[in-house]
């Protein structure tokens, strides 16, 4: 007898611990020699190692030790080469662990003794019982033809289930009578059922007419028919029968009628006919690969394509009616609309706008598959791809998604191959005519337009083509919508498009069983991490690239002047006519990047325009101008402060300068000084009158020219009339600060010029 102590160990009563453990070791060793491999089977239970239990429960070694200490599991301890070890009883483990062990060790579980099985949980016992239970089989072909065997099986089962009070022979006779067959036929049914089961009643479907044909004749018939298909392009059953009849007469074959030949040819494998007609390409179309994308990471592959909407809208400014065109990128893994753009007419720049949206909202993609139409292979897009390579992104032609060993497959939306062509060029030519949904993104376009229709967007007219009556009806309906003002403007349609994309991204996708955004969220929870790009770099890469010449620190793009906000971030130090690279948005002109000759990339701003009426703006710009000039002066002072004179004067010049300083009288006589000044004024006035003649004017091109003339009159001491004085007063009231400063400086310069002329 033995017992479990408080520590969970197993001790023999009346003997020492070491002696008891040694005896248990011997018992375990003996039983393991006769037990199934890997199963530590003692007389009372199945004992597993600690490592096995850890794997079953998914817990740590410490958790096992705690469970042993708290007597939560049944254990025995043994001693071996590794010291003290524990063996844990399977029956003391949780239910799921027991079931898991049985499922992983099915062959061992089948051999467990009944008293060991009874120690397990009820659900675990059921698992063992299911493993030991015999499996019956009638054959799938029998199940597929159940209608044929149903009445036979029911009649036999009815005959074998003899009711009480009936003699077996009499009961079988009654059942045969009810079935409308003889007693002997009923006994034959019972015999077949007992020997072969339900399969005995499955009849061979081979037509009796074909039994008249010799095997060689049938093979020849099939070969002739397939040859006719390959060489003639279509099957000629009548011609095939005539050929086999002629050959049968020579060879002595037995053949049936022409109708039996047609029946045989109808049973011919259609794959053989397809191969005879289309060769390996035809089989390639049959054995197509159904693609799945759930093993991709989000944004590992995005597909882009242009789309022309079936909705007509109106330009409210020009009254032009047109169908808007957009460019869309869709992620293959999540089916999210990665990015899109919209315009009245498709161009390559729309691809950049769509990519910019996706890069800013969802982050980097790995490969973008696009159509190789003209805009997609434009210089602009190729430049984008070159620069995106720096971020590990790439672009491929969309036909590469359909590449097979034998060519490029044109597939239906469901995966059915319509055509296999040998080059990308052929694929692009065949994809559209054979099937409007030959590209993965086409289904997205259909879903998007359906959503917009549900949102109540007016103006849906598929095509203004067809019969003359249909075309006339569509044109009439479109004209009515325009006259009633029901067509949306471009801006209104764009808002509806944003709403439709939002609904699509949040709506349950048929193949995903989740919405695209839910699929992305799930992938993020499973470890996917979006990779972002600095927004400034996104703008730089996806903007239009061009070149402009510098003119006094500024550049001009489509009539708009741009300049830097500071000396360091501008072009003020670059010589005029220097051509530099510029990047700008075609639709938003408030931001421009330039690449300086020193390869620094700086952002320019629009040159602020001053107005003669906006005094605050003028003052602000004047302050900015002073700051810029002050910055240059400060830098100049900083560089020249430590430098002395660099011009070497002659000795005579230095002597003259010294003499001037010593010859000047210390104190001047005021009366003498006044006489010298008066004399100098007189001489100056006489000289000025000789050399300067003031020109009188009476006709002026504008008020400013008249005012300037009157100022000159004042400075030359020419008499001004009362009307001219009144004009000057009124004009001065309308002057802004800039003009007032200009005339102030004009007076100073004019007086200086007169003095220079006089002297």
């Amino acid at each position: 007898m033995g017992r479990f102590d408080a520590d969970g160990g197993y001790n023999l009563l009346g003997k020492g611990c070491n002696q008891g453990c040694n005896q248990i070791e011997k018992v375990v060793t003996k039983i393991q020699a006769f037990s199934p491999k890997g199963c530590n089977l003692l007389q009372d239970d199945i004992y597993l190692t600690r490592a096995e239990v850890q794997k079953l429960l998914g817990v740590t070694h410490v958790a096992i030790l705690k469970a042993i200490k708290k007597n939560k599991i049944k254990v025995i301890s043994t001693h071996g080469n590794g010291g003290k070890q524990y063996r844990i009883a399977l029956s003391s483990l949780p239910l799921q662990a027991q079931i898991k062990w049985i499922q992983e060790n099915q062959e061992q579980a089948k051999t467990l003794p009944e008293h060991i099985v009874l120690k397990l949980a009820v659900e675990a016992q059921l698992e063992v019982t299911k493993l030991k239970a015999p499996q019956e089989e009638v054959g799938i072909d029998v199940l597929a033809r159940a209608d044929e065997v149903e009445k036979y099986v029911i009649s036999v089962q009815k005959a074998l289930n003899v009711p009480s009070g009936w003699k077996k022979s009499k009961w079988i006779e009654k059942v045969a009578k009810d079935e409308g067959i003889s007693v002997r036929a009923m006994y034959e049914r019972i015999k077949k059922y007992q020997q072969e089961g339900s399969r005995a009643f499955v009849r061979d479907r081979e037509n009796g007419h074909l039994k008249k044909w010799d095997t060689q004749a049938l093979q020849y018939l099939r070969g002739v028919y397939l040859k006719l298909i390959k060489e003639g392009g279509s099957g000629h059953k009548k011609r095939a029968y005539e050929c086999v009849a002629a050959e049968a007469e020579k060879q002595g074959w037995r053949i049936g009628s022409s109708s039996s030949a047609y029946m045989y040819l109808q049973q011919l494998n259609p794959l053989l006919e397809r191969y005879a007609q289309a060769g390996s390409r035809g089989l390639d179309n049959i054995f197509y690969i159904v693609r799945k994308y759930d093993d991709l990471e989000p944004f590992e592959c995005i597909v882009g394509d242009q789309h022309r909407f079936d909705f007509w809208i109106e330009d409210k400014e020009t009254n032009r009616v047109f169908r808007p065109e957009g460019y869309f990128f869709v992620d293959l893994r999540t089916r999210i609309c990665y990015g899109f753009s919209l315009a009245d007419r498709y161009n390559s720049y729309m691809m950049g706008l769509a990519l910019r949206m996706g890069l800013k909202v969802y982050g980097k993609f790995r490969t973008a598959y696009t159509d190789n139409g003209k805009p997609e292979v434009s210089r602009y897009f190729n430049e984008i791809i070159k620069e995106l390579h720096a971020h590990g992104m790439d672009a491929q032609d969309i036909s590469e998604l359909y590449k097979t060993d034998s060519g490029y497959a044109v597939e239906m939306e469901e995966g059915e191959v319509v055509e296999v062509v040998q080059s990308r060029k052929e694929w692009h030519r065949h994809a559209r005519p054979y099937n409007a949904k030959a590209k993965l993104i086409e289904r997205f376009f259909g879903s998007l337009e359906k959503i917009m229709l549900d949102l109540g967007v007016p103006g849906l007219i598929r095509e203004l083509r067809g019969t003359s009556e249909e075309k006339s009806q569509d044109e009439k309906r479109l004209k009515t919508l325009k006259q009633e003002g029901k067509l949306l403007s471009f801006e209104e349609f764009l808002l509806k498009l944003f709403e439709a994309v939002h609904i699509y991204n949040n709506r349950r996708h048929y193949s995903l069983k989740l919405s695209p955004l839910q699929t992305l969220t799930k992938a993020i929870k499973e470890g996917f991490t979006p990779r972002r790009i600095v927004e400034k770099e996104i703008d730089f890469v996806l903007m239009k690239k061009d070149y402009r010449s510098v003119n006094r620190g500024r550049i001009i793009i489509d009539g708009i002047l741009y300049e830097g906000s500071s000396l360091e971030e501008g072009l003020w130090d670059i010589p005029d006519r220097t051509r530099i690279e510029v990047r700008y948005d075609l639709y938003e002109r408030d931001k421009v990047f330039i690449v300086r000759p020193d390869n620094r990339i700086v952002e320019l701003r629009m040159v602020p325009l001053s107005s003669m009426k906006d005094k605050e703006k003028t003052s602000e710009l004047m302050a900015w101008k002073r700051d810029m000039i002050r910055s240059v002066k400060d830098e100049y002072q900083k560089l020249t402060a430590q430098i002395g004179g660099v011009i070497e004067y002659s000795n005579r010049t230095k002597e003259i300068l010294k003499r001037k300083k010593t010859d000047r009288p210390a104190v001047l006589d005021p009366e003498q000084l006044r006489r010298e000044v008066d004399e100098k004024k007189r001489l100056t006035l006489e000289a000025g009158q000789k050399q300067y003649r003031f020109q009188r004017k009476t006709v002026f091109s504008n008020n400013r020219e008249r005012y300037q003339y009157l100022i000159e009159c004042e400075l030359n001491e020419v008499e001004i009339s009362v009307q001219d004085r009144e004009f000057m007063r009124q004009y001065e009231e309308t002057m802004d600060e800039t003009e007032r400063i200009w005339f102030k400086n004009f007076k100073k310069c004019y007086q200086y010029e007169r003095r220079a002329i006089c002297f």
Side-chain angles (χ1 to χ4, degrees), residues 453-482:
L453 193 61
D454 294 340
L455 291 174
V457 177
L460 178 64
I461 298 177
R462 300 285 179 189
E463 287 286 353
L464 290 179
R465 63 187 182 190
T467 64
S468 58
E469 294 81 4
E470 292 173 346
K471 183 177 180 181
S472 175
Q473 195 69 19
D474 288 339
E475 288 179 344
K476 184 177 179 181
R477 184 156 61 94
L478 185 61
K479 185 177 180 180
T480 302
L481 289 172
K482 181 180 179 181

Side-chain angles (χ1 to χ4, degrees), residues 66-261:
K66 288 182 179 180
I68 294 173
K69 189 173 182 180
K70 295 180 180 180
N71 296 327
K72 290 185 177 181
I73 53 179
K74 178 182 175 181
V75 298
I76 61 172
S77 58
T78 63
H79 286 76
N81 295 334
K84 184 177 180 180
Q85 298 178 357
Y86 291 109
R87 294 291 186 269
I88 302 168
L90 177 63
S91 61
S92 65
L93 298 180
L95 168 63
Q96 295 301 325
Q98 296 182 28
I99 295 176
K100 184 178 180 181
W101 184 87
I102 292 170
Q103 292 174 346
E104 293 177 354
N105 303 274
Q106 294 184 8
E107 295 302 322
Q108 300 172 18
K110 289 179 183 180
T111 62
L112 291 178
E114 189 65 25
H115 71 280
I116 298 293
V117 175
L118 292 175
K119 287 183 175 291
L120 302 176
V122 177
E123 291 83 351
Q125 294 180 33
L126 178 60
E127 287 295 322
V128 176
T129 304
K130 287 161 58 178
L131 292 175
K132 294 181 178 181
Q135 296 185 1
E136 296 182 357
E137 182 181 5
V138 297
I140 296 179
D141 55 337
V142 176
L143 299 177
R145 299 164 71 174
D147 293 340
E148 297 181 12
V149 302
E150 180 183 16
K151 65 177 182 177
Y152 298 104
V153 174
I154 291 176
S155 65
V156 171
Q157 290 176 347
K158 183 179 179 181
L160 293 177
N161 293 322
V162 182
S164 59
W166 279 81
K167 192 176 180 180
K168 182 177 180 181
S169 59
K170 293 292 184 183
W171 175 250
I172 292 176
E173 184 179 343
K174 180 182 183 306
V175 173
K177 184 178 180 180
D178 294 341
E179 290 291 320
I181 59 176
S182 65
V183 177
R184 182 179 177 181
M186 178 56 70
Y187 274 107
E188 288 180 356
R189 281 189 187 181
I190 294 172
K191 184 179 179 181
K192 286 183 178 181
Y193 183 76
Q194 290 175 339
Q195 291 177 350
E196 303 178 38
S198 302
R199 187 182 298 276
F201 305 116
V202 178
R203 292 183 299 178
D204 190 357
R205 293 184 177 181
E206 185 178 359
N207 194 290
H209 293 288
L210 300 180
K211 294 180 180 178
K212 297 180 180 179
W213 287 74
D214 284 340
T215 303
Q216 299 91 331
L218 290 175
Q219 293 291 342
Y220 189 83
L221 174 66
R222 181 175 62 179
V224 170
Y225 178 67
L226 293 176
K227 273 284 189 178
L228 288 171
I229 292 177
K230 183 174 183 179
E231 297 176 2
S234 61
H236 302 278
K237 295 180 180 179
K238 182 179 179 181
R239 177 61 179 159
Y241 180 73
E242 292 174 353
C243 291
V244 75
E247 187 67 21
E249 187 176 350
K250 296 178 183 178
Q251 302 292 339
W253 295 334
R254 186 167 55 93
I255 64 172
S257 63
S258 60
S259 60
S260 64

Side-chain angles (χ1 to χ4, degrees), residues 312-315 318-323 478 482 487:
W312 292 75
I313 63 176
E314 181 181 7
D315 187 338
T318 63
N319 295 325
R320 184 171 68 94
V321 176
F322 61 92
R323 290 165 59 192
L478 185 61
K482 181 180 179 181
L487 293 178

Side-chain angles (χ1 to χ4, degrees), residues 368-422:
Y369 289 90
T370 59
D371 201 342
N372 69 347
K374 290 183 180 179
E376 285 83 349
V377 296
S378 65
R379 182 174 60 87
Y380 164 71
F381 189 66
N382 287 335
E383 291 292 335
I384 288 178
I385 297 305
K386 289 180 184 178
E387 295 174 2
L388 289 179
H389 283 162
H391 287 284
M393 292 178 280
D394 195 13
Q396 295 286 340
D397 187 81
I398 194 173
S399 60
E400 292 301 304
L401 290 174
Y402 301 87
K403 190 175 182 180
T404 65
D405 293 338
S406 57
Y408 295 85
V410 181
E411 296 180 355
M412 294 285 287
E413 179 183 334
E414 298 79 8
E416 179 184 351
V417 176
V418 180
E419 178 81 358
V420 176
V421 294
Q422 300 305 311

